[in-house]
Amino acid sequence: MRIALFITCVNDLLFARTGQAVVRILERLGHQVDFPAEQTCCGQMHANSGYRDEAIPLAQRFVRTFQRYDAVVAPSGSCVAMVREAYPRLVGGEIPKVYELSELLVDVLGVTDLGARFPHRVTYHPTCHGLRILRLGDRPLRLLRAVKDLDLVELPGAAECCGFGGTFALKNSDVSGAMLADKCAAIRATGAEYVTAADNSCLLHIGGGLSRSNGPVRAIHYAEILASGEHDDGEGSHE
């Protein structure tokens, strides 16, 4: 199987360790992962903001870049949802098979235990795109439950949005801030050391809220947890 990594803009600019974690996971399973250098933004920000014409060339470039691969994996539910749901309307034709990491691992490769170890108390936030559009269900949780020494605790009101929503957080900052405050309070109530999710954009928002309250909880993409080993202690987490 020819697998390509679509890193996404946020990860490429701010969270390179997440992309590296995805590669480590797949290489551990015996797969080679290509990284096409010609990849760019998927156009989600443009399309969501009403700039459909500007999004189309980006979508076309994505299709040209990744069409030769059997599977494209991305550590971002929102970007995967963009390709899967919006591209047929934007560009039509055959769209590359793009998977969020847990979909590729659980549904395609048939694995849940990756031999990871993460001796910490963790709570999981199911992001809106993953929950409502991709319908990831318990796939990320099944992967996390298989991590050695990880204490996974349920997040109260887990299905509630964190308030990020891309440009929503900028255009509706008061509402976004109130939603974030509720999410951060729920996370702190779990007593978790880490909050994890499938989207670093949401974790960036949540992590910022947690840091401003001087709380001990840190945000980390679940790919970094799954890539951890016997001698890792969470150093790959977001500061």
Side-chain angles (χ1 to χ4, degrees):
M1 175 183 290
R2 298 190 67 193
I3 301 176
L5 171 65
F6 172 44
I7 186 62
T8 80
C9 297
V10 169
N11 291 322
D12 183 42
L13 292 171
L14 299 173
F15 304 113
R17 287 178 174 175
T18 298
Q20 294 166 357
V22 172
V23 173
R24 288 202 304 274
I25 290 168
L26 293 173
E27 288 183 345
R28 185 185 297 169
L29 294 172
H31 298 278
Q32 179 179 329
V33 183
D34 290 347
F35 181 79
E38 59 269 30
Q39 63 180 279
T40 59
C41 175
C42 68
Q44 178 187 178
M45 180 179 67
H46 308 72
N48 289 351
S49 301
Y51 294 96
R52 184 179 184 276
D53 291 343
E54 287 78 5
I56 290 175
L58 294 170
Q60 291 171 333
R61 183 185 183 94
F62 183 98
V63 172
R64 290 196 305 270
T65 300
F66 290 104
Q67 62 186 354
R68 63 184 182 274
Y69 293 97
D70 300 310
V72 180
V73 62
S76 169
S78 64
C79 294
V80 172
M82 170 65 184
V83 175
R84 192 178 299 171
E85 298 295 321
Y87 274 25
R89 298 191 301 272
L90 285 175
V91 296
E94 186 174 353
I95 307 300
K97 293 181 179 178
V98 182
Y99 301 91
E100 191 275 329
L101 177 62
S102 69
E103 294 178 313
L104 181 68
L105 292 173
V106 176
D107 297 345
V108 179
L109 302 181
V111 295
T112 53
D113 190 343
L114 301 170
R117 176 178 179 268
F118 195 76
H120 299 284
R121 188 177 178 90
V122 177
T123 193
Y124 171 73
H125 166 63
T127 63
C128 290
H129 283 90
L131 181 68
R132 297 174 175 87
I133 298 180
L134 298 182
R135 301 187 184 279
L136 296 181
D138 69 344
R139 294 177 183 86
L141 290 172
R142 290 164 63 187
L143 293 163
L144 290 169
R145 290 181 186 126
V147 175
K148 183 179 179 182
D149 297 331
L150 186 149
D151 180 15
L152 185 63
V153 293
E154 184 176 354
L155 176 63
E160 296 179 9
C161 177
C162 72
F164 178 62
T167 57
F168 174 83
L170 300 176
K171 297 177 180 177
N172 302 275
S173 59
D174 290 343
V175 177
S176 173
M179 296 170 72
L180 174 62
D182 289 345
K183 180 61 65 174
C184 289
I187 292 169
R188 289 193 295 269
T190 67
E193 300 170 75
Y194 291 88
V195 57
T196 193
D199 280 273
N200 271 327
S201 53
C202 297
L203 288 172
L204 178 66
H205 189 57
I206 293 170
L210 291 169
S211 66
R212 286 191 294 273
S213 65
N214 296 316
V217 191
R218 301 166 70 184
I220 181 172
H221 194 285
Y222 83 105
E224 296 177 49
I225 294 177
L226 299 179
S228 61
E230 288 295 321
H231 302 292
D232 294 325
D233 61 0
E235 293 180 355
S237 61
H238 306 319
E239 298 296 338

